[in-house]
Amino acid sequence: MRCPKCLLCLSALLTLLGLKVYIEWTSESQLSKAYPGPQGTLPVLTPTSPEPTLPANLSARLGQTGPLSSAYWNQQQWRLRALPSGDSTEAGGCRAWGAAAASEIPDFTSYPMDLRRFLLSAACRSFSRWLPDGDGGQVPSCEETGTPYLLLAVKSEPGHFAERQAVRETWGGPAPGIRLLFLLGSPVGEGGPDLGPLVAWESRRYSDLLLWDFLDVPFNETLKDLLLLSWLVHHCPSVSFVLQAQDDAFVHTPALLDYLRALPPSWARGLYLGEVFTQAKPLRKPGGPFYMPGSFFEGDYPAYASGGGYIIAGRLAPWLLQAAARVAPFPFNDVYIGLCIRALGLVPRAHKGFLTAWPADRTADPCALRDLLLVRPLRPQESIGLWKHLQDPQLHC
Ligand SMILES: *[C@@H]1O[C@H](CO)[C@@H](O)[C@H](O)[C@H]1NC(C)=O
Ligand SMILES: *[C@@H]1O[C@H](CO)[C@@H](O)[C@H](O)[C@H]1NC(C)=O
């Protein structure tokens, strides 16, 4: 061999190839072993009481048992009795909470811009609805439409017109017991194009947009979770289940309904279901994704369901709101919901049919989806293609 480098390259390539085959093989066999099929048995989990409770002091519930860390969130949670409610910079106001965080965190100025902005307004959680001019655009309450069994609450962004339309035409389309709503911030972005008139038209046409007057950015996702909960308490208190998903998710709605209807009542009452991460640790690489500075949070994350799509029992809505008023703000919305669930003494239920990082090469294969309940990310066209296949009576897998 006259080319030792070529040999090296070749062997490296072969190793990589072998690794890829191995990884694909193991993930495949894990999937087929672990998921028992649509009508199969339920996954085994530690039983807990399905009834939420909220102790006076949440610290122990939230895992603060050892010596108190000096990280800001840990300190706040230790002392916190209730988050401020008013939108003011005066003492006790929500903006004052942010200003205090900025002055008390020693290296606040080195935090990424998004995180700084999040903290400054993190305690401000009451926003009015953004309503289009003129009449219409009102979202009817569940009393008016009939209380759904399953509410599909899809987090979208004002500009995602195609994503929303694909959901309406596929898994979120009209079906008995189902209601579809989209959760959005203000269509008037910061320095962006004014999507107000377009979104107003869409809102009048479909009456399925819940819009609030806050900036629609990823770090404001928690607002969508919390404002939805408060909408549920006021306008849809008896809904059985609520799915919160991103607008690039694909939900096998009929299979999901079958699954929910077959749940033991004791599970159903305290349900928080999805792709569950247990013992996730904060990522400490500055500039990396989901960076969490050590001066803000110490410890492990609670078990939580991926924010790509999860389900809660409707009756938890008021409980979660009460918990959220006493759990210190946290930048990642799925971790935050996990903290609130933990504060209530509940645990997430994992389901292998929720895959929020679905490989792109499967998106065209309806058979790959047969035993799954929720996958993402998909493009609007892929969702439409997949839905058509699933409706096809000729489909054999
Ligand atoms: C929670 O309990 C700890 C330890 O007993 C105490 O130091 C802390 O102040 C309490 N927090 C609240 C909000 O009452
Ligand atoms: C979230 O929205 C509020 C209200 O529009 C805004 O003040 C805040 O800066 C936004 N948060 C982020 C991280 O941009």
Side-chain angles (χ1 to χ4, degrees):
M1 197 61 156
R2 242 170 266 140
C3 172
K5 271 198 190 135
C6 300
L7 200 71
L8 207 75
C9 270
L10 195 75
S11 64
L13 214 81
L14 281 175
T15 318
L16 273 177
L17 218 90
L19 204 73
K20 183 172 181 283
V21 168
Y22 173 75
I23 288 173
E24 271 173 9
W25 174 75
T26 43
S27 59
E28 201 107 346
S29 57
Q30 248 173 28
L31 209 76
S32 49
K33 253 187 277 159
Y35 186 64
Q39 248 80 49
T41 50
L42 302 162
V44 186
L45 274 151
T46 0
T48 47
S49 159
E51 292 310 315
T53 55
L54 208 54
N57 191 328
L58 290 180
S59 292
R61 271 271 174 95
L62 292 175
Q64 296 186 301
T65 43
L68 182 59
S69 151
S70 62
Y72 193 72
W73 185 93
N74 304 60
Q75 289 278 338
Q76 277 291 311
Q77 189 55 53
W78 188 258
R79 285 187 234 127
L80 189 68
R81 286 175 209 283
L83 279 167
S85 45
D87 178 23
S88 88
T89 44
E90 274 123 57
C94 68
R95 304 237 163 233
W97 188 93
S103 71
E104 287 166 28
I105 297 172
D107 55 347
F108 184 80
T109 51
S110 75
Y111 282 16
M113 172 70 144
D114 284 346
L115 183 55
R116 274 183 283 152
R117 286 189 59 149
F118 166 79
L119 288 173
L120 286 173
S121 68
C124 302
R125 291 164 165 187
S126 20
F127 288 91
S128 51
R129 298 273 300 283
W130 186 91
L131 290 173
D133 296 336
D135 52 47
Q138 297 284 353
V139 175
S141 72
C142 288
E143 208 172 290
E144 295 163 80
T145 60
T147 294
Y149 177 70
L150 172 63
L151 178 78
L152 307 173
V154 181
K155 292 200 186 91
S156 190
E157 284 172 34
H160 287 189
F161 299 102
E163 281 80 356
R164 289 193 288 279
Q165 197 56 28
V167 174
R168 290 187 190 106
E169 291 179 12
T170 58
W171 56 271
I178 297 283
R179 179 163 180 200
L180 174 66
L181 287 176
F182 293 98
L183 316 176
L184 297 104
S186 166
V188 188
E190 205 177 34
D194 178 5
L195 300 178
L198 296 175
V199 168
W201 182 88
E202 185 187 358
S203 177
R204 277 192 287 271
R205 170 74 178 76
Y206 294 103
S207 305
D208 61 3
L209 303 186
L210 276 177
L211 294 140
W212 290 277
D213 199 7
F214 63 81
L215 200 61
D216 200 326
V217 292
F219 272 79
N220 267 343
E221 290 269 281
T222 304
L223 291 176
K224 292 183 187 173
D225 292 272
L226 299 180
L227 290 164
L228 170 72
L229 291 172
S230 125
W231 186 85
L232 291 172
V233 167
H234 293 108
H235 303 287
C236 204
S238 332
V239 62
S240 301
F241 298 103
V242 181
L243 168 81
Q244 285 237 40
Q246 299 285 343
D247 62 6
D248 61 357
F250 183 93
V251 183
H252 196 186
T253 321
L256 179 59
L257 284 172
D258 287 348
Y259 176 80
L260 292 173
R261 292 205 166 104
L263 279 180
S266 62
W267 279 40
R269 276 203 293 279
L271 194 71
Y272 169 50
L273 178 86
E275 179 176 14
V276 173
F277 303 114
T278 48
Q279 290 168 0
K281 295 200 188 326
L283 301 181
R284 303 295 193 194
K285 189 170 159 232
F290 304 106
Y291 168 55
M292 174 52 59
S295 62
F296 185 72
F297 178 81
E298 286 281 344
D300 289 350
Y301 289 159
Y304 67 95
S306 161
Y310 67 89
I311 295 183
I312 58 161
R315 64 194 284 278
L316 293 184
W319 285 99
L320 280 167
L321 277 178
Q322 281 181 51
R326 294 174 43 204
V327 175
F330 200 83
F332 310 136
N333 69 310
D334 40 14
V335 175
Y336 190 72
I337 296 297
L339 285 166
C340 295
I341 287 282
R342 185 164 172 172
L344 294 175
L346 303 173
V347 288
R349 305 260 177 199
H351 192 298
K352 290 277 193 285
F354 284 68
L355 294 178
T356 56
W358 210 42
D361 57 356
R362 301 251 178 112
T363 49
D365 177 8
C367 289
L369 192 90
R370 203 181 33 160
D371 294 338
L372 302 177
L373 300 181
L374 180 146
V375 292
R376 77 180 276 266
L378 263 77
R379 289 192 306 248
Q381 291 85 345
E382 291 171 331
S383 289
I384 288 177
L386 204 51
W387 186 252
K388 274 203 190 111
H389 279 300
L390 283 172
Q391 307 304 304
D392 183 359
Q394 308 290 316
L395 178 70
H396 294 296
C397 294

